[in-house]
């Protein structure tokens, strides 16, 4: 219809009689035909070094088949077909994007992550309908000023580039809700950031920031702020007035103290490990009524104030590797505390073997000491993990103290045998083998089956899940995003404790049926695949499922019965070719979508 409108309006490029540009061999004509109907075109992972011209002109040129077949059926009326709204060019070899991107003015989603782009075309600023732009994992050194004209943009992903500065007018992106600038070379933030009043998530991790502008506190909608791994020595006191903030990450900076948080009543997670904090005082803590995670490991904290007991919702407290010599015994009375890490402190009152017995035994001991305040000054020094010369590239501290086996970002085709040999009898809880070139799940992972609960195999080249992985009976979290998976084995049903699985950016064409039978699952992330349908009746049986992400798949319809999945708190369906629910309903959030679907169930 849009193409027809342009033709009637005399659009010179519409060209009824014009031959289409010859498609390159990398883009099958069938994909182009389907895209004209669905408004979506996925060209990811096709080794493209440039975007064929007929892709940019998809809504302008007469389709090739129009010249060959003049008797159109209902399905072939190309002049009624849809403008392209979603274009995915991820994981190719693109070094630049043409200014012809402006020929796709209806685009709402443009994804060019994981290419070799060194710049962006200024014509991007003309895509006035664009809502999501992903240019992460490229080689961008700057952003065109025109980008700030994208007034409808909600999600802008710029992480893993080479940016050293941002346009001053960045604050014009007033509808932005998600902004990821992590892993760049930024040394400061434009003061116009204060205008981003709808921003919910801001990631500034892994840059070179020495300070944050106080104006950042004007972001009244901000819930998540990540400043991990910068050079921050202080945090602006105004940050403490951000009433919507729920998660604050300040790890790996140069902070000597924490700010006070008088207004952060909703703050749930505060991560400030690996800094130089020496003092933790009552003022830092007393207003944090909602805090459930407090992570302060690897600092220089000498004591913990009694006011820590005001944090009645605290579930995780990590004080490992500080200079704490004694603890308030009242810590044992925190009602929700499930995890307490104290190793690597010169504690005088707690025996080393007690620390190894786990949180519940430790809390029980602290409670028993509230009546019987006895200290043991003759405590023996803590044991340090010896590192053998043959294990010099293995982080034995991570294995013994953090229960972490990590071999990530090495581009390795196999995990070295000595990694598994080093584990010996140490119980490893977390395995991170992400960002390598693995073609299969390392078979020796089965040796960790009695302890491992978190496995990350993301960003590899794994095409199938091995039976060894299905034997990790304590596994709670499996991240295997960005691989080549097309199916999951039925044997995964044995993973009865699995709560979170991330299968995004794989090659699934059908929803893996075994997931329906893993009843402990709380989160299924399956975005950016090619899933064509889901079974709502099976999903209803998953009574713990709270999050289901099916964004950017090939769902042609959403079954109304999905509305009966009452446990769902987050349902993400954007970027699929279905016509209903319409975008306006999706934008209202999960509750509104479920209510709409229920209203469509036949009586």
């Amino acid at each position: 219809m849009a193409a027809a409108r342009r033709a009637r309006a005399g659009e010179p490029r519409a060209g009824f009689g014009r031959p289409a540009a010859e498609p390159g061999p990398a883009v099958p004509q069938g994909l182009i035909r389907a895209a004209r109907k669905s408004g979506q075109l996925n060209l990811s992972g096709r080794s493209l070094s440039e975007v064929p011209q007929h892709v940019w002109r998809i809504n302008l040129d007469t389709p090739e088949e129009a010249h060959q077949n003049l008797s159109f059926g209902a399905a072939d009326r190309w002049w009624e077909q849809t403008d392209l709204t979603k274009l995915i060019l991820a994981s190719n070899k693109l070094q630049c994007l043409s200014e012809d991107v402006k020929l796709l003015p209806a685009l709402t989603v443009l994804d060019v992550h994981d290419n070799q782009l060194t710049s962006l075309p200024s014509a991007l600023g003309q895509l006035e309908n664009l809502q999501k732009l992903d240019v992460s994992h490229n080689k961008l050194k700057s952003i065109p000023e025109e980008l700030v004209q994208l007034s409808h943009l909600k999600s802008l992903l710029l992480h893993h580039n080479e940016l050293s500065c941002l346009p001053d007018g960045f604050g014009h992106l007033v509808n932005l809700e998600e902004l990821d600038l992590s892993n760049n070379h930024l040394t400061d933030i434009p003061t116009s950031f204060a205008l981003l009043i709808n921003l919910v998530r801001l990631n500034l991790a892994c840059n070179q920031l020495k300070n944050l502008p106080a104006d950042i506190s004007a972001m009244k909608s901000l819930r998540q702020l990540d400043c991990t791994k910068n050079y921050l020595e202080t945090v602006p006191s105004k940050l403490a007035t951000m009433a919507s903030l729920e998660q604050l990450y300040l790890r790996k900076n140069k902070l000597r103290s924490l700010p006070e948080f008088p207004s952060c009543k909703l703050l749930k997670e505060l991560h400030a490990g690996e800094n130089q904090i020496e003092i933790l005082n009552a003022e830092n803590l007393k207003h944090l009524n909602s805090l459930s995670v407090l992570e302060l490991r690897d600092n220089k904290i000498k004591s913990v104030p009694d006011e820590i007991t005001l944090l009645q919702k605290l579930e995780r407290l990590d004080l490992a590797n500080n200079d704490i010599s004694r603890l308030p015994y009242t810590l044992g009375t925190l009602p929700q505390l499930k995890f307490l890490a104290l190793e690597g402190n010169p504690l005088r009152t707690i025996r080393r073997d007690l620390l190894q017995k786990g949180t519940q035994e430790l809390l029980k001991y602290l409670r028993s000491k509230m009546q019987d305040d006895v200290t043991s000054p003759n405590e023996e020094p803590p044991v340090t993990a010896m590192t053998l010369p043959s294990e010099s590239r293995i982080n034995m501290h991570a294995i013994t103290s953090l229960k972490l086996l990590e071999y990530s970002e090495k581009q390795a085709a196999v995990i070295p045998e000595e990694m598994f040999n080093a584990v010996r009898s140490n119980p490893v809880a977390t395995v991170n083998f992400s960002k390598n070139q693995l073609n299969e799940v390392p078979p020796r992972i089965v040796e960790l089956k009695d302890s491992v609960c978190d496995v990350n195999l993301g960003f590899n080249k794994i095409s199938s899940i091995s039976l060894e992985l299905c034997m990790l009976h304590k596994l709670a979290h499996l991240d295997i995003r960005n691989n080549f998976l097309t199916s999951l084995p039925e044997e995964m049903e044995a993973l009865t404790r699995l709560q979170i699985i991330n299968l995004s950016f794989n090659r699934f064409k059908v929803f893996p049926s075994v997931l329906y039978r893993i009843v402990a699952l709380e989160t299924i992330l399956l975005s950016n695949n090619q899933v064509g349908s889901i079974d709502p009746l099976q999903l209803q049986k998953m009574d713990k499922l709270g999050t289901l992400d099916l964004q950017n798949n090939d769902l042609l319809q959403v079954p109304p019965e999905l509305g009966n999945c009452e446990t769902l708190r987050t349902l993400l369906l954007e970027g699929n070719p279905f016509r209903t629910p319409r975008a306006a309903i999706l934008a209202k959030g999960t509750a509104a979508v479920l209510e709409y679907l229920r209203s469509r169930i036949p009586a």
Side-chain angles (χ1 to χ4, degrees):
M1 243 155 66
R5 279 199 306 274
R6 273 196 293 272
R8 285 197 300 272
E11 161 65 71
R13 294 195 195 88
F16 262 86
R18 175 188 190 126
E22 280 297 312
V27 183
Q29 191 61 260
L31 266 183
I32 298 290
R33 271 200 302 274
R36 284 201 177 95
K37 293 178 183 176
S38 69
Q40 304 186 14
L41 180 57
N42 186 344
L43 298 177
S44 60
R46 291 184 172 269
S47 300
L48 297 176
S49 54
E50 60 180 21
V51 180
Q53 187 65 21
H54 63 284
V55 170
W56 300 129
R57 302 184 62 83
I58 189 170
N59 296 130
L60 301 178
D61 291 335
T62 311
E64 187 69 28
E65 60 268 26
H67 302 290
Q68 299 161 359
N69 175 12
L70 297 175
S71 58
F72 298 106
D76 297 320
R77 293 204 292 254
W78 57 265
W79 58 85
E80 291 184 356
Q81 290 169 11
T82 313
D83 276 349
L84 200 65
T85 58
K86 177 178 172 184
L87 177 58
I88 299 178
L89 297 164
S91 301
N92 282 294
K93 297 176 180 176
L94 303 175
Q95 295 183 1
C96 64
L97 282 183
S98 166
E99 295 285 342
D100 286 340
V101 69
K102 66 177 179 283
L103 301 180
L104 299 173
L107 277 185
T108 60
V109 175
L110 177 59
D111 182 351
V112 285
H113 85 268
D114 189 22
N115 277 283
Q116 297 162 26
L117 300 176
T118 54
S119 63
L120 294 174
S122 57
L124 272 181
Q126 297 179 40
L127 302 180
E128 59 183 27
N129 293 300
L130 203 62
Q131 294 181 24
K132 178 174 182 178
L133 176 61
D134 186 348
V135 289
S136 62
H137 292 274
N138 278 286
K139 298 177 179 178
L140 300 174
K141 290 183 164 56
S142 63
I143 302 286
E145 291 280 347
E146 291 80 1
L147 198 73
V148 305
Q149 298 166 15
L150 299 173
S151 57
H152 291 102
L153 201 62
K154 290 183 177 179
S155 173
L156 177 55
L157 306 180
L158 292 160
H159 51 284
H160 289 88
N161 277 289
E162 298 169 17
L163 301 173
S164 54
C165 62
L166 298 171
D168 287 335
F170 217 84
H172 293 310
L173 299 171
V174 289
N175 284 306
L176 213 53
E177 295 175 7
E178 176 183 34
L179 175 58
D180 193 339
L181 290 160
S182 61
N183 292 278
N184 278 286
H185 307 321
L186 299 174
T187 53
D188 56 29
I189 297 298
T191 52
S192 66
F193 261 43
L195 302 173
L196 302 177
I197 55 171
N198 290 303
L199 202 63
V200 175
R201 290 181 297 280
L202 174 59
N203 193 342
L204 299 169
C206 302
N207 278 287
Q208 296 166 23
L209 302 173
K210 291 186 176 174
N211 51 55
L212 294 174
D215 300 337
I216 207 170
S217 61
M219 295 180 182
K220 61 184 181 183
S221 303
L222 199 66
R223 282 191 231 148
Q224 185 184 82
L225 174 60
D226 191 342
C227 299
T228 302
K229 205 172 182 185
N230 278 282
Y231 300 121
L232 301 177
E233 295 182 8
T234 58
V235 175
S237 56
K238 277 193 175 179
L239 194 73
T241 65
M242 299 178 75
S244 296
L245 203 59
E246 293 180 7
Q247 294 173 308
L248 177 59
Y249 296 84
L250 297 168
R251 301 186 76 246
K252 296 190 177 184
N253 278 284
K254 296 185 174 182
L255 299 177
R256 295 188 176 278
S257 62
L258 281 178
E260 296 168 17
F261 295 98
S263 301
C264 296
K265 305 280 193 237
L266 299 179
L267 193 66
K268 294 182 175 67
E269 298 186 23
L270 174 58
H271 300 261
E274 295 189 57
N275 278 285
Q276 297 163 25
I277 298 168
E278 295 183 5
I279 296 174
L280 183 63
N281 60 42
E283 294 303 315
N284 300 136
L285 304 174
K286 67 181 185 184
H287 302 288
L288 300 176
N289 304 331
S290 300
L291 202 67
S292 63
V293 176
L294 179 57
E295 189 265 303
L296 294 166
R297 64 179 305 121
D298 296 286
N299 277 289
K300 299 176 180 178
I301 297 169
K302 293 181 172 57
S303 64
V304 179
D306 290 336
E307 285 78 6
I308 192 101
T309 54
L310 295 173
L311 308 181
Q312 288 288 295
K313 293 187 178 176
L314 200 62
E315 295 179 17
R316 295 178 65 87
L317 176 59
D318 191 341
L319 295 167
N321 305 322
N322 276 283
D323 297 331
I324 300 166
S325 57
R326 66 180 305 280
L327 283 175
Y329 294 137
T330 50
L331 198 59
T333 65
L334 284 173
Q336 309 287 331
L337 199 60
K338 299 182 181 69
F339 175 86
L340 174 60
L342 294 168
E343 64 270 11
N345 281 289
L347 289 165
R348 294 205 175 121
T349 54
I350 300 175
R351 295 194 319 276
R352 192 175 64 257
D353 64 320
L354 189 61
L355 291 179
Q356 296 169 351
K357 288 184 177 177
T359 297
Q360 293 312 313
E361 286 295 315
L362 199 47
L363 296 179
K364 194 191 298 183
Y365 169 80
L366 291 172
R367 286 193 294 271
S368 74
K369 283 292 184 181
M370 285 173 66
Q371 283 81 30
D372 182 17
D373 196 346
V374 177
T375 58
S376 309
N378 300 322
E379 198 61 49
E380 54 190 288
V383 172
T384 55
M386 294 295 290
T387 306
L388 302 176
S390 63
E391 297 166 349
S392 56
R393 65 169 166 163
I394 296 169
N395 186 343
M396 288 304 295
H397 168 73
I399 293 174
T400 55
S401 297
L402 308 182
K403 299 181 172 50
L404 165 67
L405 185 62
E406 180 166 24
Y407 197 81
S408 63
E409 299 191 58
K410 300 282 195 294
Q411 300 305 308
V414 293
I415 303 300
E417 294 294 316
E418 60 260 37
M419 289 300 295
F420 289 102
N421 296 341
V423 173
R424 296 196 291 271
S425 60
N426 290 294
V428 165
T430 303
V431 171
N432 183 0
F433 293 157
S434 64
K435 297 183 180 174
N436 283 296
Q437 301 284 326
L438 303 179
N439 290 312
E440 62 174 5
V441 178
R444 287 188 65 183
I445 203 167
V446 73
E447 296 171 18
L448 312 175
K449 65 183 173 60
D450 292 329
S451 60
V452 74
C453 52
D454 187 334
V455 171
N456 187 347
L457 292 163
F459 297 91
N460 279 289
K461 296 181 175 180
I462 297 169
S463 56
S464 65
I465 297 291
S466 67
L467 296 184
E468 285 89 356
L469 189 72
C470 301
M471 295 167 71
L472 305 180
H473 58 91
K474 292 190 175 177
L475 195 61
H477 184 181
L478 176 59
D479 187 341
I480 197 155
R481 75 183 94 171
N482 289 72
N483 276 281
F484 298 160
L485 297 175
T486 55
S487 63
L488 297 179
E490 298 303 310
E491 287 81 1
M492 278 186 72
E493 191 174 355
L495 301 177
T496 55
R497 299 190 190 181
L498 191 62
Q499 296 175 353
I500 301 173
I501 189 165
N502 190 341
L503 299 165
S504 304
F505 288 98
N506 275 282
R507 299 180 178 182
F508 291 97
K509 292 190 174 173
V510 295
F511 189 97
S513 58
V514 68
L515 295 183
Y516 295 130
R517 300 196 298 281
I518 305 176
V519 293
L521 274 171
E522 297 173 6
T523 298
I524 298 175
L525 306 178
L526 200 57
S527 69
N528 295 279
N529 281 279
Q530 298 155 45
V531 173
S533 64
I534 47 175
D535 186 336
L537 301 179
Q538 296 278 16
L539 285 169
Q540 280 177 48
K541 297 175 187 173
M542 303 178 72
D543 57 6
K544 293 196 168 60
L545 190 64
T547 298
L548 178 60
D549 184 354
L550 291 165
Q551 294 178 99
N552 303 327
N553 275 282
D554 294 340
L555 295 175
L556 290 168
Q557 58 177 349
V558 182
E561 293 80 8
L562 189 61
N564 288 331
C565 294
E566 294 176 0
T567 59
L568 279 179
R569 294 288 170 267
T570 304
L571 173 63
L572 302 172
L573 296 169
E574 287 81 2
N576 280 282
F578 56 75
R579 293 185 179 276
T580 56
R582 296 187 180 277
I585 293 171
L586 295 181
K588 291 180 181 177
T590 300
V593 172
L594 295 178
E595 185 180 346
Y596 169 83
L597 291 171
R598 284 194 293 274
S599 74
R600 308 271 293 190
I601 297 173

